[in-house]
């Protein structure tokens, strides 16, 4: 899990999207990502492609900003 979070932090710092297996846990933290930066997440669930945008909070936790699902 730490590797996944570290990868997300690096990708967030670079402004790149990360692909996770599902929604990001509310308890996930990013130790290296700049506060206020965004993390993008995409995955498939129930035949739909889900796109999520998270914001890195001051305490390094993530807040879900948007979630959209498209049929695929």
């Amino acid at each position: 899990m730490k590797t996944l979070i570290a990868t997300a932090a690096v990708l967030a710092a670079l402004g790149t999207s990360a692909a996770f297996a599902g929604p990001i846990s509310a308890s996930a933290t990013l130790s290296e990502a700049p506060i206020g930066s965004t993390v993008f997440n995409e995955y498939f669930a129930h035949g739909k492609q889900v796109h999520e945008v998270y914001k890195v909070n001051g305490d390094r936790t993530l807040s879900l900003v948007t979630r959209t699902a498209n049929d695929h």
Side-chain angles (χ1 to χ4, degrees):
M1 184 65 171
K2 285 187 177 184
T3 302
L4 187 61
I5 292 171
T7 301
V10 170
L11 293 172
L14 295 174
T16 311
S17 64
F20 293 91
I24 298 174
S25 168
S27 63
T29 60
L30 298 176
S31 61
E32 299 295 321
I35 294 170
S37 63
T38 54
V39 176
F40 302 93
N41 184 30
E42 295 183 5
Y43 60 94
F44 286 92
H46 308 290
K48 296 184 181 218
Q49 184 176 14
V50 181
H51 302 275
E52 298 176 326
V53 178
Y54 291 85
K55 177 183 159 195
V56 179
N57 300 316
D59 61 356
R60 305 292 184 182
T61 59
L62 299 175
S63 293
L64 180 65
V65 176
T66 63
R67 178 183 290 144
T68 58
N70 301 318
D71 289 326
H72 241 306

